[in-house]
Amino acid sequence: MTKLQNLLKGIIKENPVLVLVLGTCPTLAMTKSMSSALGMGLAAMAVLICSNAAISALRKVIPDKVRIPCFIVLIAGFVTIVQLLIQAFLPDLYVSLGTFLALIVVNCIILGRAEMFASKNGVVDSILDGAGMGLGFTLALLAMATIRGILGNGTWFDIKIPFLCDNPIGFFSQTAGGFVVFGTMIALVNYFTNGKAIKKTEFGCNGCPHASLCNKTECAGVEKKEGENA
């Protein structure tokens, strides 16, 4: 994989929201407005890039048995820095993001990239991976916020859309509407890529971050039961 492919894979092929279906909670909560979606996306991207770089640089000195706690500590440090910067310079955005800003620490996208990529690759590639995944996350949030904002509020970045601003569909501003938009976008990505956005084999033991812990015994047991049932 070239560096350009590494950067661009997070946009469609391995989009963390629409393909890997990670970070669902902030996706649904932060797409009610464009400003919140953009703020959350950029904050997560900054943490992704910094944490990937730090974890990649320290991957050879972090003991394997305590790697997850170490990853979380590093991620929490960068989240704290981003949180303080937003609170100081963008107080309105800080209020709108609320607790979801601090919860970036436990965002599956960030910890997943740390475990699956940064801990196994060089610093430059890890930075590109973090930037690509962060970009894919941000674009997915903005796409959802655009649909929900235009249909639910009749606005886009506080710009009123003729007719729709006077006849908003309140359903799309609610959680249920968010789920509908989310599911529809996943279905569209799956349709336009013919279900090949990501290879299904990547969901097996080779793509599982816990494969080294279970030694594939659990997967082998499942396959054995499925063979017996067949």
Side-chain angles (χ1 to χ4, degrees):
M1 182 179 294
T2 65
K3 285 180 169 52
L4 181 60
Q5 290 174 328
N6 186 29
L7 175 66
L8 298 179
K9 68 182 179 182
I11 297 177
I12 293 293
K13 184 180 178 181
E14 295 183 27
N15 187 283
V17 176
L18 303 178
V19 176
L20 303 180
V21 196
L22 300 173
T24 304
C25 289
T27 298
L28 293 172
M30 294 292 104
T31 52
K32 291 183 180 180
S33 70
M34 294 295 294
S35 58
S36 296
L38 181 60
M40 174 56 68
L42 293 179
M45 185 191 297
V47 175
L48 262 169
I49 293 172
C50 294
S51 61
N52 268 18
I55 289 168
S56 177
L58 297 172
R59 69 186 188 280
K60 295 182 180 180
V61 298
I62 296 177
D64 187 63
K65 292 183 179 180
V66 293
R67 68 184 186 283
I68 299 299
C70 290
F71 294 168
I72 293 175
V73 170
L74 286 170
I75 293 169
F78 289 116
V79 170
T80 301
I81 293 172
V82 170
Q83 187 176 8
L84 291 174
L85 289 173
I86 293 177
Q87 185 178 10
F89 297 103
L90 299 168
D92 292 337
L93 178 62
Y94 177 79
V95 172
S96 66
L97 295 180
T99 57
F100 286 97
L101 183 58
L103 289 175
I104 292 177
V105 175
V106 291
N107 192 309
C108 298
I109 300 171
I110 297 173
L111 186 58
R113 299 321 295 174
E115 172 68 10
M116 294 298 299
F117 195 93
S119 62
K120 300 177 178 66
N121 293 275
V123 175
V124 174
D125 287 333
S126 296
I127 290 175
L128 292 175
D129 176 79
M133 287 293 167
L135 181 61
F137 179 60
T138 303
L139 292 176
L141 289 182
L142 290 176
M144 281 191 62
T146 296
I147 297 172
R148 296 184 68 186
I150 292 176
L151 296 179
N153 302 316
T155 60
W156 186 76
F157 273 116
D158 295 328
I159 301 173
K160 293 185 178 180
I161 309 298
F163 179 75
L164 290 175
C165 64
D166 297 322
N167 301 278
I169 306 173
F171 171 76
F172 288 99
S173 298
Q174 300 173 3
T175 304
F179 272 107
V180 170
V181 175
F182 186 41
T184 302
M185 290 183 63
I186 291 174
L188 288 174
V189 169
N190 191 57
Y191 174 78
F192 285 112
T193 60
N194 295 318
K196 297 179 181 179
I198 187 170
K199 296 179 181 178
K200 293 182 180 180
T201 54
E202 293 184 19
F203 290 101
C205 286
N206 293 331
C208 176
H210 304 294
S212 60
L213 300 178
C214 72
N215 295 320
K216 301 184 180 181
T217 54
E218 294 182 10
C219 298
V222 172
E223 292 176 356
K224 183 178 180 181
K225 289 182 180 178
E226 291 178 348
E228 293 175 351
N229 294 332

